[in-house]
Structure formats: structure tokens, C-alpha cells
DNA sequence: CAATAGGATGGAT
DNA sequence: ATCCATCCTATTG
């Protein structure tokens, strides 16, 4: 009942996402610098890494740091080819983008990593070829998986060409947020996905000299993924590796606004992507811990288009679940630890 | 100081 | 009416 001008501070001023989305809360240093303390998110990638090392791929080097330190997005794997000119025949429009200032901050799929259905030229059956394929499909799988994750989070569809201008903005904010790019959303206002897809790298750079090339490269990845998806579904129904993930990817388009508890479940289902900020302590009992409250709140804000979201507000919403019997505090109450009343 | 608990209010659906 | 988002006060470790 008090005055309507209560909260000039937090919201009233910014109609769109404010310019502080990926800013101060989580210091970049703790991610780029520290080489330890990534225990749980290793789970998914570790086997792959081991496999690679066992085979001792001569020409391929997978930079696991690029993979593991990119926060929510583990899909930006840098694959460098050091060996002979045995280029693999991949017709993808993936462009190479050199990281400018912070090599480890700007992970991009480098080289022909996204190749699917390699020509298999020469049935040499070389071990090397085989490993190359494995790596490629692994990378493709990661890319698809994480695009799917982003789509669910942002509630957009994977194919950029179908995006509305609102979708484009979401994608831009998301990408900027993930890679700590300078804000460039304004430069692409009113553009639809179709417009965006029609733009050259040069066009991108013109609109955003700072990060246009990076954004263009990322869009290329999305375009390629959509192209692959279509190609796979149109052609024979051969399903490989990561493609299965696409087939079950359409569950999010149900229209109903997502509930907070559902959202938390989604994050918990993807420890590979979000294990750093939220994880199970006891999956059977539904006990989970929010490891990075600010980060989880930011993700929730992204999902709901509430740029001013923070943990204070998010936790208030969680507390509303106490009465409803959806979430509660575990028997031994711990900081940032909650429990689903009805574990799956 | 950050987390926790819960009341009040207003907005969206 | 439900589900938050926001704001706030008080308490706690």
C-alpha cells in the first residue's frame, strides 16, 4: 500500500535485461584460474578423456580445460589438428574464431570438429580414423546436448531461422552471459532469426565490433546443429550418438510457464552442465544443494525473463513450497540445502 | 554477512 | 485462485 515508487532501485528503470547480467557476482577468476575443484562435473567427460589418452591420438589434442571451464556450456571444445594434411571432408560452415584477449574465455569449435558422416574415404580402417570419428561424434553430441539445454532454459527452439526477434534477444543475452561478452543486444534489436542467419560475419562485426565475430561463430554452430538435425531426420533414420537427445528435446514446448521446482529439477538433471551451481546430495531422498546461489538465481531469471532475480527472491519462492509440500528443508537443516518432498 | 523464515503486496494468467 | 516477484523485518549461524 505504500508508495508505488518503492523500488526504483531494482527494476523500474530497465525494460529489458539490464546490463549487469554476467557481471560481478561470480568472479571470473575462480573458473579460468583454478585448476582444481571441479570434482563433480568431471563425471561425464572423464571417460572420454581417458579414452583419448589411452589411444594417444597422434594428431588430436582435446583441450579439456576449454571444455570444463566454460561454465554452463561445455560444448565449446577446441579441437586442434596438428597432424598432416589429412583434412576430413566436412562441409560445415563452422568458422574459426581466434580468441582475442582471453584464450580460455572464448572457446569455440575450432576446425572441423562438427563433421558428421565423414566420407569414410579409403577403408583403411586406421585406428586414427576411428578415433577421429569418435572424437567428432563426441563433440557433436556435446554440442547438441548443450544447445538443447539452452533451448529448454530459454524456451526457444533450436533452429535460429525460426526465431522471433524476442528469441534472438534471448539468445544474444544468453550467449553474452555465457562467454562474458560485452553487451551487444542493442546492436541486433528488431532482427529476426531469419535476418540474423542472412548476415555475414562482416555484418556482425559492423553491428558489434567487439564481439560480432564471436556471435557469428556461435550462430554458425546453432545453424549447423539445426542443419544436421534436419538432415538426420529427413534422411534414413539412422540415429547416432547425440542425436537421440534431439528426439526427446521437444518436451519443453508445452506452453505452460515453468514452475520453480521444475526448473530446479531440470538443472539437477544435468550435472554435466550445472553441477557447479546445483547438485544432488542424495538423489534418492531428493536432497540437493545450491552451490552457487547467485548463479542459480541468474539462470532462473534468464528463464523467466526476470533480470532482477536474485537468491533472496528465489529462496522466498522456494519457501512458499514449504506449505505446499513440494520442497522442504531436510531433517538436518543445512545452508543452501533443500529437499524435494516427493523425490522421483 | 549471508542465509533463513515468513508477512505483505501487486502482477500475470 | 495460483504462482511468483518484490520488498521487508527479524532471526540465526
Amino acid at each position: 500500500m505504500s508508495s508505488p515508487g518503492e523500488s526504483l532501485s531494482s527494476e523500474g528503470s530497465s525494460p529489458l535485461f539490464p546490463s549487469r547480467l554476467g557481471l560481478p557476482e561470480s568472479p571470473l577468476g575462480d573458473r579460468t584460474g583454478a585448476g582444481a575443484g571441479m570434482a563433480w562435473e568431471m563425471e561425464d567427460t572423464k571417460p572420454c578423456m581417458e579414452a583419448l589418452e589411452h589411444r594417444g591420438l597422434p594428431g588430436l589434442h582435446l583441450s579439456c580445460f576449454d571444455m570444463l571451464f566454460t561454465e554452463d556450456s561445455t560444448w565449446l571444445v577446441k579441437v586442434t589438428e596438428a597432424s598432416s594434411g589429412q583434412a576430413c571432408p566436412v562441409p560445415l560452415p563452422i568458422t574459426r574464431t581466434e580468441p582475442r584477449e582471453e584464450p580460455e574465455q572464448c572457446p569455440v569449435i575450432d576446425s572441423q570438429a562438427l563433421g558428421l558422416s565423414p566420407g569414410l574415404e579409403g577403408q583403411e580402417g586406421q585406428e586414427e580414423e576411428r578415433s577421429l570419428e569418435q572424437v567428432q561424434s563426441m563433440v557433436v553430441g556435446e554440442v547438441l546436448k548443450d544447445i538443447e539445454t539452452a533451448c529448454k532454459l530459454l524456451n526457444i527452439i533450436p533452429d535460429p531461422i525460426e526465431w522471433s526477434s524476442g528469441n534472438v534477444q534471448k539468445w544474444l543475452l544468453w550467449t553474452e552471459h555465457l562467454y562474458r561478452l560485452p553487451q551487444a543486444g542493442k546492436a541486433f534489436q528488431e532482427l529476426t532469426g531469419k535476418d540474423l542467419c542472412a548476415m555475414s560475419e562482416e555484418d556482425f562485426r559492423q553491428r558489434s565490433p567487439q564481439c560480432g565475430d564471436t556471435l557469428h561463430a556461435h550462430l554458425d554452430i546453432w545453424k549447423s546443429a539445426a542443419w544436421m538435425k534436419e538432415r538426420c531426420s529427413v534422411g534414413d533414420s539412422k540415429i547416432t550418438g547425440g542425436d537421440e537427445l534431439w528426439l526427446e528435446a521437444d518436451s519443453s514446448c508445452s506452453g505452460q510457464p515453468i514452475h520453480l521446482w521444475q526448473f530446479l529439477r531440470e538443472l539437477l538433471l544435468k550435472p554435466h552442465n550445472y553441477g557447479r551451481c546445483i547438485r544432488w546430495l542424495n538423489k534418492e531422498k531428493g536432497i540437493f544443494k545450491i552451490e552457487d546461489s547467485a548463479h542459480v538465481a541468474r539462470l532462473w531469471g534468464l528463464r523467466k525473463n526476470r533480470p532482477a532475480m536474485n537468491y533472496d527472491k528465489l529462496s522466498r519462492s522456494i519457501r512458499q513450497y514449504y506449505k505446499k509440500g513440494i520442497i522442504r528443508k531436510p531433517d538436518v537443516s543445512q545452508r543452501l540445502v533443500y529437499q524435494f518432498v516427493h523425490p522421483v
Side-chain angles (χ1 to χ4, degrees):
Chain A
M1 199 109 23
S2 39
S3 79
E6 341 129 293
S7 57
L8 289 175
S9 53
S10 58
E11 195 132 71
S13 48
S14 51
L16 276 176
F17 277 47
S19 50
R20 62 174 157 92
L21 256 184
L23 276 176
E25 284 131 304
S26 48
L28 306 194
D30 66 3
R31 174 163 303 107
T32 42
M38 49 185 187
W40 52 82
E41 57 271 47
M42 285 287 284
E43 284 168 2
D44 284 3
T45 35
K46 199 178 190 174
C48 310
M49 295 306 160
E50 279 172 358
L52 278 181
E53 265 155 16
H54 279 315
R55 285 159 199 282
L57 290 179
L60 274 167
H61 171 252
L62 239 182
S63 160
C64 56
F65 291 108
D66 282 351
M67 192 168 200
L68 292 172
F69 285 149
T70 46
E71 205 175 62
D72 323 281
S73 69
T74 32
W75 53 303
L76 298 157
V77 184
K78 189 150 88 191
V79 179
T80 33
E81 197 184 1
S83 62
S84 56
Q86 276 237 339
C88 40
V90 183
L92 283 185
I94 296 299
T95 48
R96 176 198 44 83
T97 304
E98 281 305 324
R100 298 235 145 140
E101 318 218 70
E102 310 153 354
E104 285 154 314
Q105 276 285 295
C106 189
V108 161
I109 289 192
D110 193 284
S111 89
Q112 308 86 339
L114 265 187
L116 77 167
S117 83
L120 284 175
E121 53 193 345
Q123 306 244 316
E124 293 1 340
Q126 289 277 328
E127 190 105 335
E128 188 173 333
E129 293 274 335
R130 197 166 250 280
S131 302
L132 184 67
E133 268 181 66
Q134 283 179 350
V135 172
Q136 284 179 345
S137 77
M138 187 184 86
V139 172
V140 169
E142 288 302 314
V143 170
L144 296 182
K145 199 159 54 176
D146 286 293
I147 286 182
E148 177 210 344
T149 301
C151 285
K152 281 194 174 178
L153 201 68
L154 302 175
N155 207 14
I156 61 177
I157 56 172
D159 193 346
I161 209 146
E162 311 272 356
W163 288 345
S164 67
S165 58
N167 295 156
V168 168
Q169 286 299 311
K170 272 189 173 185
W171 176 81
L172 282 167
L173 287 162
W174 173 247
T175 308
E176 289 162 4
H177 160 73
L178 273 190
Y179 305 107
R180 321 264 191 229
L181 301 176
Q183 304 294 313
K186 278 252 169 72
F188 298 88
Q189 231 152 20
E190 300 302 311
L191 288 176
T192 67
K194 205 169 179 177
D195 300 332
L196 215 59
C197 289
M199 287 167 57
S200 69
E201 188 173 354
E202 196 47 46
D203 296 332
F204 268 76
R205 238 192 307 260
Q206 256 176 22
R207 296 205 178 230
S208 170
Q210 295 228 47
C211 53
D213 48 355
T214 304
L215 287 172
H216 181 260
H218 281 300
L219 184 67
D220 255 352
I221 291 171
W222 283 65
K223 280 155 76 177
S224 302
W227 175 80
M228 285 168 53
K229 184 194 175 193
E230 185 175 0
R231 185 182 175 284
C232 289
S233 61
V234 167
D236 47 348
S237 53
K238 184 184 169 191
I239 294 175
T240 60
D243 294 359
E244 294 157 329
L245 292 151
W246 279 94
L247 304 179
E248 45 121 19
D250 292 334
S251 59
S252 63
C253 310
S254 52
Q256 290 296 310
I258 190 172
H259 289 186
L260 175 56
W261 63 269
Q262 293 175 310
F263 178 77
L264 294 174
R265 272 234 156 86
E266 276 187 18
L267 298 189
L268 286 162
L269 278 177
K270 301 187 178 303
H272 181 50
N273 297 309
Y274 303 111
R276 250 174 295 249
C277 59
I278 184 172
R279 68 189 177 97
W280 293 114
L281 288 190
N282 185 330
K283 192 169 180 179
E284 289 66 44
K285 292 185 179 172
I287 300 176
F288 61 95
K289 172 160 187 176
I290 295 173
E291 298 282 355
D292 184 340
S293 58
H295 191 182
V296 172
R298 222 180 307 139
L299 293 172
W300 175 233
L302 267 170
R303 183 68 168 81
K304 289 291 295 287
N305 240 314
R306 296 263 74 131
M309 181 52 59
N310 57 28
Y311 181 68
D312 183 49
K313 289 180 268 195
L314 183 149
S315 64
R316 183 68 191 91
S317 290
I318 292 181
R319 269 175 258 127
Q320 293 291 159
Y321 289 144
Y322 293 173
K323 267 205 287 190
K324 297 177 207 167
I326 298 174
I327 289 178
R328 66 183 183 90
K329 272 298 203 179
D331 295 323
V332 278
S333 179
Q334 301 169 72
R335 254 184 171 210
L336 296 167
V337 176
Y338 297 91
Q339 176 171 17
F340 284 105
V341 175
H342 304 294
V344 191

